[in-house]
């Protein structure tokens, strides 16, 4: 009997300990964890540097109100700005809060320049921006919104197509009252679908032409996951607002909104807040994560591991052309798209002690920690090969 609400269909397994890429059950059964809390534990389990950061900070100060200065947060915000397009940062606690805060920043900007009616956000149909009331209507997915009406107004949708043009009639979808386009640079829950660089550039161009804002949701694909610090960096596109979360905390709940100077001007004192957002404990961990993940050497290694893994996975696709349809993604954000429903496949991988997780469109999501070792990738490949051969 569980007293937890049944909003999750949980697997009947639990873990008591983790180390790097591995998880251990109470009877010491070892699993290769290529879920990592869904791209959250960017540096694996119980990373010594993160353990030290949280331990040291926990002895000093856990929480103070944002009514006071928080030096640890100042430090992390400075690093995030110096390494990216951003001029300012607002800390939150989760991805959904970060995407909603991103929407608030966009709307507030137009309000502050005397255009309060310019407040609609154009999103991709069936994308994912979190589970809060506004975020589910931003996603526009029937499954997520069903039963949670009344519908939150202010969102329009466009389909992201598998064929060119990726966005049909984009210009017509932008109305007089559109404030921003908000998309995930790489659609995560939606099946690890990349928005091609050319397409991102096109989005930026249209936003400039129409004088609207570009919000790139990097909650899942950001913080080194794609092999760049942000996934959009490869396209050289500069967004206006970027919500982040998952990987930046390495397992500790942190969310944030990064923004440029122009839009930040609207966020005057009292316009937004968060009790926990940016507290010293969270910031201590965030600072440790970014120091490791943002180094060129670290990111080059992610790219190198990714290249190797993709070559091998594509080899398996050729070996099992009736099972694997496509290998998708970038960096260590990887989707194995199957021809059939992936549930059984994921179960078989788990029976062989490899943990993965589903995404839409029959995709098996594979999310190793960013500091995964090559021999761990080999071990996963061996298990995937075995499961394919028995399928
Ligand atoms: C996970 C995710 C969110 C929501 O994050 P939570 O921390 O679960 O609220 C938002 N956007 C994207 C792209 C995500 O992958």
């Amino acid at each position: 009997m569980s007293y937890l609400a049944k909003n999750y269909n949980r697997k009947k397994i639990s873990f008591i300990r983790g180390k790097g890429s591995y998880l251990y059950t109470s009877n010491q059964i070892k699993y290769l964890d290529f879920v990592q809390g869904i791209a959250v534990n960017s540096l694996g389990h119980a990373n010594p540097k993160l353990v030290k950061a949280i331990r040291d900070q926990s002895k000093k100060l856990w929480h103070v109100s944002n009514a006071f200065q928080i030096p640890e947060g100042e430090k992390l915000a400075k690093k995030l700005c110096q390494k990216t397009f951003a001029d300012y940062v607002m800390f939150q606690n989760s991805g959904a809060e970060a995407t909603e805060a991103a929407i608030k920043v966009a709307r507030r900007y137009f309000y502050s320049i005397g255009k309060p009616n310019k407040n609609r956000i154009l999103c991709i149909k069936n994308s994912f921006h979190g589970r809060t009331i506004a975020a589910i209507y931003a996603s526009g997915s029937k499954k997520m919104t069903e039963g949670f009406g009344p519908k939150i107004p202010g969102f329009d949708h466009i389909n992201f197509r598998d064929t060119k043009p990726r966005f049909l009639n984009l210009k017509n979808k932008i109305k007089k009252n559109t404030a921003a386009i908000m998309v995930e640079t790489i659609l995560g829950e939606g099946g690890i679908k990349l928005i091609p660089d050319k397409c991102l550039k096109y989005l930026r161009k249209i936003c400039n032409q129409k004088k609207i804002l570009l919000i790139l949701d990097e909650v899942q694909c950001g913080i080194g996951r794609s092999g760049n610090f942000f996934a959009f960096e490869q396209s050289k596109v500069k967004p206006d607002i970027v919500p982040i979360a998952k990987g930046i905390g390495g397992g500790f709940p942190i969310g944030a909104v990064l923004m440029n100077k122009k839009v930040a001007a609207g966020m005057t004192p009292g316009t937004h807040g968060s009790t926990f957002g940016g507290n010293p404990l969270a910031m201590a961990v965030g600072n440790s994560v970014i120091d490791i993940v943002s180094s060129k050497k670290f990111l080059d290694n992610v790219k190198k591991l990714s290249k190797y893994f993709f070559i091998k996975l594509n080899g398996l696709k050729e070996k099992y052309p009736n099972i694997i349809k496509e290998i998708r993604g970038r960096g260590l954000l990887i989707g194995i798209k199957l021809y059939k429903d992936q549930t059984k496949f994921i179960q078989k991988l788990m029976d062989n002690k490899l943990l993965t997780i589903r995404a839409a469109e029959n995709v098996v999501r594979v999310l190793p920690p960013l500091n995964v070792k090559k021999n761990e990738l080999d071990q996963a490949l061996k298990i995937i090969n075995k499961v394919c051969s028995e399928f």
Side-chain angles (χ1 to χ4, degrees), residues 94-97 99 128-131 184 189 217 219-220 245-246:
S94 67
E97 272 183 281
T99 55
F128 189 84
H129 298 292
R131 296 290 200 141
E184 299 161 77
E189 305 299 311
D217 182 344
V219 169
Q220 188 159 161
K246 292 195 169 92

Side-chain angles (χ1 to χ4, degrees), residues 8 38-40 93-99 127-132 135 183-189 217-221 243 245-246 254-255 365:
Y8 276 103
I38 314 193
V40 164
N93 311 286
S94 67
E97 272 183 281
T99 55
S127 54
F128 189 84
H129 298 292
R131 296 290 200 141
T132 51
V183 300
E184 299 161 77
T185 318
I186 301 173
L187 284 80
E189 305 299 311
D217 182 344
E218 293 251 348
V219 169
Q220 188 159 161
C221 60
K246 292 195 169 92
I254 305 180
R365 219 172 345 166

Side-chain angles (χ1 to χ4, degrees), residues 51 83-84 125-126 130 178-179 183-184 234 243 248 252 285 288 308 313 320 327 342 345 351 376 385:
V51 170
K83 288 175 196 308
T84 69
K125 184 92 187 152
N126 295 325
T178 301
V183 300
E184 299 161 77
Q234 187 176 297
I248 185 65
F252 199 92
V285 188
S288 290
Y308 174 76
L313 285 170
Y320 303 103
I327 307 296
Q342 74 283 57
F345 197 90
D351 294 343
E376 293 164 347
N385 180 52

